[in-house]
Amino acid sequence: MDPDERLCAETWAKSSSDREPLNTDSNNRSITDFDRQQQKWEESSFNGCGARDPDQQFSGFEGPFTSDVDSQRKKKDLHGKQIPEAHESGNMQNWDPSAMLNNLSFLEKKIHQLQDLVQLVVGRRGQAMNQADEILVQQQQLITADLTSIIVQLISTAGSLLPSLKNSESLASQLGQFGGITSQSVRVTDNVVHNNANKMEDHPDPTGVFEDHDMKSDDDAEEGENLPPGSYEILQLEKEEILAPHTHFCTICGKGFKRDANLRMHMRGHGDEYKTPAALAKPHKESSSDPIFIKRYSCPYVGCKRNKDHKKFQPLKTILCVKNHYKRTHCDKNYTCSRCHTKKFSVIADLKTHEKHCGRDKWLCSCGTTFSRKDKLFGHIALFQGHTPAIPHEGAGPSDQGQSRSETANKIEQLDFNYKLDEPGRSVCQGLMELEGSGEDPSSYFSPLGFDTSSMAGFQEFPRPLFEDTESSFSFFLSGSGDYSPKNGRYAAPNDLE
Amino acid sequence: MQRLQLINNPMESLTEEIIFSILDHLDSDTKSFSATSKSFHSLESRHRKTLKLLHPDSIPAALRRYRHIRRLDFTNCPKADDGVISAAAEAYSGTLRSVDLSRSRLFTHAGLSGLVLTCGGLVELDLSNATELRDAAAAAVAEARNLEKLWMGRCRLVSDIGIGCIAVGCKKLKLVCLRWCVRITDLGVGLLATKCTLLRALDLSYLPITDKGLSPVLQLKNLKELTLVGCPGIDDDSLKHLKQASKSLEVLDVSYCSNVSCTGLASLINDADSLHHLNIAYCFTVTSVLSKCFYKLSELQTIKLDGCFISFALMKSIADCCASLKELSLFKCNGVGDEGLSCIARKHRLLRKLDITCCQEITEASIDTITNSCPHLTSLKMENCSMVSKEAFVLIGTRCQSLEDADFTETEINDEGLEAISRCSKLKNLKLGLCLNITDRGLSYVGSRCQNLTHLDLYRCMEITDIGISAIAIGCPLLEMIDMAYCDKIGDTSLTALARCIQLKKLEIRGCPCLSSLGLSAVSMGCKQLAVLDIKKCYITDDGLISLAQNTQSLKQINISYCPVTDVGLVALASIRRLQNLTVLNAIQLTVDGLVAAILGCKGLMKLKLDTMYKSRIPEGFLSEIEGRGCNIQWRNKAAVLRTDHLFHGKFD
């Protein structure tokens, strides 16, 4: 239906399947996955439906919410926002795909939360059997409430897809069945979800410690984003702020943290007052109540395209983007590759990525650009005038590098030496590449038998007797029969390279 | 000539231009011209444009003498190395346009680089068979900005990178031959086609290319000649892309492309208006899909269907093809019958060349039609058409008077047939191998009438004796090649007679036990141009070889296997400076010392075939030294064969 939606679904699936490995910190990939996932959460929260506050969730949930029960509840709700009825009915008539998407991603998140919560409960139950019944009941109610709200929203979302069902009695009656539960449980939700959120923070996160892992998605990734100017809020961090390793500092001891959540965890050590749910909860965001304004970031470097004063200003999406962009573009490259000692990077993650591939770029253009794939090099050469493939030093360079990596490939070649005898100097690297690539050697299509020098017909071509030899038959005995060294010739190459 | 000088010859009053234009037409005998007088000598030196070098030692003198050389041919000088090439390049830096290095193995990329940088005007370069050249050499070639024709057949170590350099550097390329450059793939070919848009002729035979490489090639607007022999990566889909290019395409060779089928070719042919030469040998079974297409090719002149299965319907469609065929090859085709062939012959009356080799179903009926309808036939190849009766050859001889090239190997032709054939006075090439019915009488007819005969094949014509050969030798003074292998009744008289044929370049007398050194001496004294000689299993002793060494300095290739020669003869033979190819198997009287001495003496040797038994006895260092000179030694184990060979039981044991 929509690529974004599919992506959401994938993330969801991944997060549930990766749950086990996520617990191990060493598994970088999983963490990356988590990070990506988290970013998605953040992104969607910009769209106004990702906040963990239940009221907010409901307010953000734009959709053909047809349950009368629910809308009435909303009106009564203390924190809930008064959604105009007219707005709702308007939505009902025109199915809005973006709203739909919002709803779906919201649902996804909701289910995630619930999943976490249930897991939490399961984990707690094992540890503390003697816990007060109250808490258990509370948890149970919480779960039920969440489940109910998910079901209701699912139905309403589905309803919006089926126009025939819109406003129909059948749907109303369906919802009516849930009505009792919904109205009951949602009230509980109001009280408990704060708790839920707190617990989530409190609980050792299933996805492991928050780790600052630079992501591949750099500032160029959102090149295509085309937000109209003014539709978002521009924030500009100062240079020091960007480059500071830690942005959250403990007011008591001064220790720095990269994330506020970690700081909050740290604060618990400074006294009981920091252990209250309110203190541990995520600080209430002012902006979240105003979801129209999306946050975007500007680079503090004047003249940069990412700077808000630039004519063709292109904002950066997240703080991470700002950091990476600033380091890459406006800072010295301090990290040097330990393999090639030439490539330098300012973002350590870039260095790590490079080091993974360093030395593999064996396809070199005369302009100095290297390519890891031959077809990329040839595409480059075809595109530019005057660029030529550069020849690595024969017998050195890539073949040597390849040798260590391709002992087996080399052996295979040696085994096949009989038929490859015609091309003894065939570079190992190339062989390897072909083995890696297609799995078959193109030259093996051909029988090399045809290469036999006996096929060099044409020797019988009779030469014009330009320089008739008049020496006697045995002249070679006199003219030094031992003189057969090829280097003794009068024409030994002045710059014999071989 | 002396008289010319005495009477203050009128040639001296001629201007240089006139003499030069005379020299232009005096293609073979410039040597005697320059030997006439000093002024003629210097005139010839100034006139000569092409230099075919022989031995590295002769090069300094040649470079000093000739100053206006445009084409340098190293094919007879396989020992040309970087030094030779750079010396020549410096001598002719301004004039040199064409260099042929197709037989040289000893030069490297350094020499090539020097040549290309010194001679900026280089237009043609032949690097075929340079199997040791790598991408560095190709990069050196890429500096030749004016290069238009480049042959790189069998440069097996040149890869995409190398050809990429050439593609970028040599923008003016019009002809490129990359046959057997098996390391060049789609990428290299694609880049070549992208960068060199002037390409007219491209040979990509035996390359591992697929659609991807071919599609840019087929975008070339000027492409006229495309050769894709033995490209298994090319299939029907690739040929569909040909549509764009097929407007200009004139010559297409997709023989031995096992994955090309009729449908692919049909889709191509639909658009190829200008195609006049089509070779689809050994591709597939030609079906009716293709037959329809032949109607559309109005320009088609040549079709080669070698090795295909051909139905009558297809033959009929070829016959109905609107173009007028000049050449048709049905070499080893299955299904070629009298009816179909007659159909074709009746329609294409201008047919010049017909190849029906091994078409076993052909009888005299179709020969009758062919000879009747196609009087202009110049080439008729019908080896092993065993159903054709002896009368058919009489028809050929009487009706096809323009015949120049006739292959009657392994047919029923007899003396009467030969008598008729001998009326074709233009006959140049006559192959009668394994024709057991012909005798001296038939040959005498040929000898008496075919004065232009240059090539004669009498392989295993067992009835032939000295009388027949003598008749040929007397009647065919232009004879260049004669094969009398295993004609065991031939004696020295034949060779003595053949000594009259001063043009003789190739002589095959393998397995003629009656021949002796006497005959060989006679031949060597008469035929000074003899270059290729096979005297395997002849009773030739040292005398013969010594005589050969003294007289035929142009000898390039010789096989003296099974000859009772000793070290003396071999060492004498080794003094022939042009000798490149020597085969000595089972010459049991040879010693290792003699062999080593001979090999040492024969500095130009490029290929040597020896018995395996010598391998252990010749010092390793010596062998590697010889190979370092550019000589390729092949070892054969033939010792066991000698005992079973019936020919020599009486003679040698």
Side-chain angles (χ1 to χ4, degrees), chain B residues 389-409:
Chain B
S389 70
K390 50 188 187 258
E391 287 80 20
F393 297 96
V394 180
L395 294 177
I396 297 170
T398 36
R399 290 171 182 169
C400 303
Q401 296 283 320
S402 1
L403 212 59
E404 290 175 16
D405 195 358
D407 187 350
F408 301 135
T409 307

PDB file of all heavy atoms in Angstrom, chain B residues 389-409:
ATOM      1  N   SER B 389      29.913 -39.147 -59.524  1.00  0.00           N
ATOM      2  CA  SER B 389      30.612 -40.123 -60.356  1.00  0.00           C
ATOM      3  C   SER B 389      31.715 -39.457 -61.160  1.00  0.00           C
ATOM      4  O   SER B 389      31.796 -38.228 -61.255  1.00  0.00           O
ATOM      5  CB  SER B 389      29.619 -40.790 -61.303  1.00  0.00           C
ATOM      6  OG  SER B 389      29.208 -39.840 -62.255  1.00  0.00           O
ATOM      7  N   LYS B 390      32.548 -40.265 -61.763  1.00  0.00           N
ATOM      8  CA  LYS B 390      33.711 -39.734 -62.464  1.00  0.00           C
ATOM      9  C   LYS B 390      33.321 -38.917 -63.693  1.00  0.00           C
ATOM     10  O   LYS B 390      34.041 -38.031 -64.111  1.00  0.00           O
ATOM     11  CB  LYS B 390      34.649 -40.874 -62.863  1.00  0.00           C
ATOM     12  CG  LYS B 390      33.982 -42.032 -63.578  1.00  0.00           C
ATOM     13  CD  LYS B 390      34.970 -43.168 -63.745  1.00  0.00           C
ATOM     14  CE  LYS B 390      34.405 -44.280 -64.600  1.00  0.00           C
ATOM     15  NZ  LYS B 390      33.929 -45.435 -63.816  1.00  0.00           N
ATOM     16  N   GLU B 391      32.121 -39.175 -64.230  1.00  0.00           N
ATOM     17  CA  GLU B 391      31.695 -38.416 -65.411  1.00  0.00           C
ATOM     18  C   GLU B 391      31.455 -36.941 -65.086  1.00  0.00           C
ATOM     19  O   GLU B 391      31.602 -36.080 -65.958  1.00  0.00           O
ATOM     20  CB  GLU B 391      30.420 -39.015 -66.009  1.00  0.00           C
ATOM     21  CG  GLU B 391      30.601 -40.332 -66.729  1.00  0.00           C
ATOM     22  CD  GLU B 391      30.677 -41.519 -65.779  1.00  0.00           C
ATOM     23  OE1 GLU B 391      30.221 -41.376 -64.608  1.00  0.00           O
ATOM     24  OE2 GLU B 391      31.212 -42.571 -66.174  1.00  0.00           O
ATOM     25  N   ALA B 392      31.072 -36.709 -63.845  1.00  0.00           N
ATOM     26  CA  ALA B 392      30.739 -35.323 -63.463  1.00  0.00           C
ATOM     27  C   ALA B 392      31.926 -34.399 -63.660  1.00  0.00           C
ATOM     28  O   ALA B 392      31.764 -33.234 -64.039  1.00  0.00           O
ATOM     29  CB  ALA B 392      30.291 -35.299 -62.007  1.00  0.00           C
ATOM     30  N   PHE B 393      33.115 -34.922 -63.464  1.00  0.00           N
ATOM     31  CA  PHE B 393      34.298 -34.054 -63.554  1.00  0.00           C
ATOM     32  C   PHE B 393      34.568 -33.630 -64.990  1.00  0.00           C
ATOM     33  O   PHE B 393      35.116 -32.561 -65.249  1.00  0.00           O
ATOM     34  CB  PHE B 393      35.494 -34.762 -62.937  1.00  0.00           C
ATOM     35  CG  PHE B 393      35.286 -35.024 -61.467  1.00  0.00           C
ATOM     36  CD1 PHE B 393      34.818 -36.254 -61.029  1.00  0.00           C
ATOM     37  CD2 PHE B 393      35.518 -34.034 -60.542  1.00  0.00           C
ATOM     38  CE1 PHE B 393      34.590 -36.490 -59.693  1.00  0.00           C
ATOM     39  CE2 PHE B 393      35.298 -34.260 -59.205  1.00  0.00           C
ATOM     40  CZ  PHE B 393      34.832 -35.493 -58.771  1.00  0.00           C
ATOM     41  N   VAL B 394      34.148 -34.493 -65.904  1.00  0.00           N
ATOM     42  CA  VAL B 394      34.265 -34.108 -67.309  1.00  0.00           C
ATOM     43  C   VAL B 394      33.376 -32.897 -67.575  1.00  0.00           C
ATOM     44  O   VAL B 394      33.772 -31.944 -68.248  1.00  0.00           O
ATOM     45  CB  VAL B 394      33.879 -35.298 -68.213  1.00  0.00           C
ATOM     46  CG1 VAL B 394      34.002 -34.916 -69.676  1.00  0.00           C
ATOM     47  CG2 VAL B 394      34.722 -36.513 -67.893  1.00  0.00           C
ATOM     48  N   LEU B 395      32.155 -32.942 -66.982  1.00  0.00           N
ATOM     49  CA  LEU B 395      31.236 -31.810 -67.137  1.00  0.00           C
ATOM     50  C   LEU B 395      31.854 -30.532 -66.569  1.00  0.00           C
ATOM     51  O   LEU B 395      31.803 -29.468 -67.192  1.00  0.00           O
ATOM     52  CB  LEU B 395      29.925 -32.107 -66.411  1.00  0.00           C
ATOM     53  CG  LEU B 395      29.072 -33.236 -66.969  1.00  0.00           C
ATOM     54  CD1 LEU B 395      27.844 -33.445 -66.092  1.00  0.00           C
ATOM     55  CD2 LEU B 395      28.647 -32.911 -68.398  1.00  0.00           C
ATOM     56  N   ILE B 396      32.427 -30.653 -65.390  1.00  0.00           N
ATOM     57  CA  ILE B 396      33.032 -29.471 -64.757  1.00  0.00           C
ATOM     58  C   ILE B 396      34.101 -28.883 -65.668  1.00  0.00           C
ATOM     59  O   ILE B 396      34.125 -27.684 -65.949  1.00  0.00           O
ATOM     60  CB  ILE B 396      33.639 -29.837 -63.385  1.00  0.00           C
ATOM     61  CG1 ILE B 396      32.552 -30.306 -62.420  1.00  0.00           C
ATOM     62  CG2 ILE B 396      34.388 -28.648 -62.794  1.00  0.00           C
ATOM     63  CD1 ILE B 396      33.077 -30.894 -61.141  1.00  0.00           C
ATOM     64  N   GLY B 397      34.966 -29.749 -66.155  1.00  0.00           N
ATOM     65  CA  GLY B 397      36.077 -29.283 -66.969  1.00  0.00           C
ATOM     66  C   GLY B 397      35.619 -28.618 -68.246  1.00  0.00           C
ATOM     67  O   GLY B 397      36.184 -27.611 -68.673  1.00  0.00           O
ATOM     68  N   THR B 398      34.551 -29.175 -68.848  1.00  0.00           N
ATOM     69  CA  THR B 398      34.120 -28.616 -70.125  1.00  0.00           C
ATOM     70  C   THR B 398      33.314 -27.339 -69.957  1.00  0.00           C
ATOM     71  O   THR B 398      33.382 -26.445 -70.794  1.00  0.00           O
ATOM     72  CB  THR B 398      33.288 -29.647 -70.920  1.00  0.00           C
ATOM     73  OG1 THR B 398      32.506 -30.391 -69.994  1.00  0.00           O
ATOM     74  CG2 THR B 398      34.177 -30.555 -71.715  1.00  0.00           C
ATOM     75  N   ARG B 399      32.551 -27.237 -68.867  1.00  0.00           N
ATOM     76  CA  ARG B 399      31.623 -26.114 -68.767  1.00  0.00           C
ATOM     77  C   ARG B 399      32.159 -24.927 -67.949  1.00  0.00           C
ATOM     78  O   ARG B 399      31.797 -23.794 -68.209  1.00  0.00           O
ATOM     79  CB  ARG B 399      30.304 -26.582 -68.152  1.00  0.00           C
ATOM     80  CG  ARG B 399      29.527 -27.467 -69.101  1.00  0.00           C
ATOM     81  CD  ARG B 399      28.355 -28.074 -68.385  1.00  0.00           C
ATOM     82  NE  ARG B 399      27.608 -28.965 -69.247  1.00  0.00           N
ATOM     83  CZ  ARG B 399      26.668 -29.781 -68.798  1.00  0.00           C
ATOM     84  NH1 ARG B 399      26.397 -29.821 -67.508  1.00  0.00           N
ATOM     85  NH2 ARG B 399      26.021 -30.562 -69.622  1.00  0.00           N
ATOM     86  N   CYS B 400      32.935 -25.202 -66.930  1.00  0.00           N
ATOM     87  CA  CYS B 400      33.385 -24.108 -66.067  1.00  0.00           C
ATOM     88  C   CYS B 400      34.820 -23.738 -66.402  1.00  0.00           C
ATOM     89  O   CYS B 400      35.757 -24.133 -65.709  1.00  0.00           O
ATOM     90  CB  CYS B 400      33.276 -24.500 -64.604  1.00  0.00           C
ATOM     91  SG  CYS B 400      31.635 -24.974 -64.133  1.00  0.00           S
ATOM     92  N   GLN B 401      34.947 -22.955 -67.440  1.00  0.00           N
ATOM     93  CA  GLN B 401      36.294 -22.664 -67.929  1.00  0.00           C
ATOM     94  C   GLN B 401      37.018 -21.637 -67.053  1.00  0.00           C
ATOM     95  O   GLN B 401      38.221 -21.504 -67.135  1.00  0.00           O
ATOM     96  CB  GLN B 401      36.222 -22.140 -69.360  1.00  0.00           C
ATOM     97  CG  GLN B 401      35.688 -23.160 -70.352  1.00  0.00           C
ATOM     98  CD  GLN B 401      36.717 -24.208 -70.729  1.00  0.00           C
ATOM     99  OE1 GLN B 401      37.879 -23.897 -70.903  1.00  0.00           O
ATOM    100  NE2 GLN B 401      36.300 -25.463 -70.854  1.00  0.00           N
ATOM    101  N   SER B 402      36.265 -20.912 -66.220  1.00  0.00           N
ATOM    102  CA  SER B 402      36.948 -19.895 -65.402  1.00  0.00           C
ATOM    103  C   SER B 402      37.441 -20.438 -64.060  1.00  0.00           C
ATOM    104  O   SER B 402      37.890 -19.678 -63.205  1.00  0.00           O
ATOM    105  CB  SER B 402      36.041 -18.703 -65.151  1.00  0.00           C
ATOM    106  OG  SER B 402      34.804 -18.862 -65.733  1.00  0.00           O
ATOM    107  N   LEU B 403      37.296 -21.714 -63.880  1.00  0.00           N
ATOM    108  CA  LEU B 403      37.677 -22.305 -62.601  1.00  0.00           C
ATOM    109  C   LEU B 403      39.141 -22.002 -62.255  1.00  0.00           C
ATOM    110  O   LEU B 403      40.040 -22.192 -63.074  1.00  0.00           O
ATOM    111  CB  LEU B 403      37.463 -23.818 -62.678  1.00  0.00           C
ATOM    112  CG  LEU B 403      37.071 -24.533 -61.391  1.00  0.00           C
ATOM    113  CD1 LEU B 403      35.785 -23.973 -60.833  1.00  0.00           C
ATOM    114  CD2 LEU B 403      36.945 -26.018 -61.628  1.00  0.00           C
ATOM    115  N   GLU B 404      39.352 -21.480 -61.061  1.00  0.00           N
ATOM    116  CA  GLU B 404      40.714 -21.201 -60.606  1.00  0.00           C
ATOM    117  C   GLU B 404      41.096 -22.093 -59.435  1.00  0.00           C
ATOM    118  O   GLU B 404      42.253 -22.409 -59.242  1.00  0.00           O
ATOM    119  CB  GLU B 404      40.826 -19.736 -60.155  1.00  0.00           C
ATOM    120  CG  GLU B 404      40.750 -18.756 -61.302  1.00  0.00           C
ATOM    121  CD  GLU B 404      40.748 -17.323 -60.805  1.00  0.00           C
ATOM    122  OE1 GLU B 404      41.098 -17.110 -59.631  1.00  0.00           O
ATOM    123  OE2 GLU B 404      40.403 -16.438 -61.591  1.00  0.00           O
ATOM    124  N   ASP B 405      40.102 -22.429 -58.673  1.00  0.00           N
ATOM    125  CA  ASP B 405      40.349 -23.104 -57.415  1.00  0.00           C
ATOM    126  C   ASP B 405      39.482 -24.358 -57.380  1.00  0.00           C
ATOM    127  O   ASP B 405      38.254 -24.260 -57.360  1.00  0.00           O
ATOM    128  CB  ASP B 405      39.953 -22.137 -56.292  1.00  0.00           C
ATOM    129  CG  ASP B 405      40.482 -22.573 -54.954  1.00  0.00           C
ATOM    130  OD1 ASP B 405      41.127 -23.641 -54.905  1.00  0.00           O
ATOM    131  OD2 ASP B 405      40.240 -21.862 -53.964  1.00  0.00           O
ATOM    132  N   ALA B 406      40.087 -25.525 -57.418  1.00  0.00           N
ATOM    133  CA  ALA B 406      39.296 -26.745 -57.444  1.00  0.00           C
ATOM    134  C   ALA B 406      39.807 -27.713 -56.394  1.00  0.00           C
ATOM    135  O   ALA B 406      40.990 -28.017 -56.331  1.00  0.00           O
ATOM    136  CB  ALA B 406      39.375 -27.387 -58.832  1.00  0.00           C
ATOM    137  N   ASP B 407      38.877 -28.145 -55.547  1.00  0.00           N
ATOM    138  CA  ASP B 407      39.234 -29.112 -54.525  1.00  0.00           C
ATOM    139  C   ASP B 407      38.476 -30.402 -54.793  1.00  0.00           C
ATOM    140  O   ASP B 407      37.272 -30.492 -54.561  1.00  0.00           O
ATOM    141  CB  ASP B 407      38.880 -28.552 -53.138  1.00  0.00           C
ATOM    142  CG  ASP B 407      39.389 -29.468 -52.027  1.00  0.00           C
ATOM    143  OD1 ASP B 407      39.820 -30.594 -52.346  1.00  0.00           O
ATOM    144  OD2 ASP B 407      39.351 -29.052 -50.856  1.00  0.00           O
ATOM    145  N   PHE B 408      39.201 -31.398 -55.322  1.00  0.00           N
ATOM    146  CA  PHE B 408      38.567 -32.681 -55.623  1.00  0.00           C
ATOM    147  C   PHE B 408      39.114 -33.779 -54.716  1.00  0.00           C
ATOM    148  O   PHE B 408      39.150 -34.939 -55.087  1.00  0.00           O
ATOM    149  CB  PHE B 408      38.782 -33.057 -57.093  1.00  0.00           C
ATOM    150  CG  PHE B 408      38.228 -32.047 -58.046  1.00  0.00           C
ATOM    151  CD1 PHE B 408      38.963 -31.632 -59.143  1.00  0.00           C
ATOM    152  CD2 PHE B 408      36.955 -31.527 -57.864  1.00  0.00           C
ATOM    153  CE1 PHE B 408      38.449 -30.698 -60.033  1.00  0.00           C
ATOM    154  CE2 PHE B 408      36.449 -30.598 -58.749  1.00  0.00           C
ATOM    155  CZ  PHE B 408      37.189 -30.171 -59.833  1.00  0.00           C
ATOM    156  N   THR B 409      39.575 -33.398 -53.539  1.00  0.00           N
ATOM    157  CA  THR B 409      40.136 -34.366 -52.609  1.00  0.00           C
ATOM    158  C   THR B 409      39.141 -35.491 -52.325  1.00  0.00           C
ATOM    159  O   THR B 409      37.957 -35.230 -52.103  1.00  0.00           O
ATOM    160  CB  THR B 409      40.491 -33.655 -51.283  1.00  0.00           C
ATOM    161  OG1 THR B 409      41.309 -32.533 -51.579  1.00  0.00           O
ATOM    162  CG2 THR B 409      41.224 -34.572 -50.338  1.00  0.00           C
TER     163      THR B 409
END
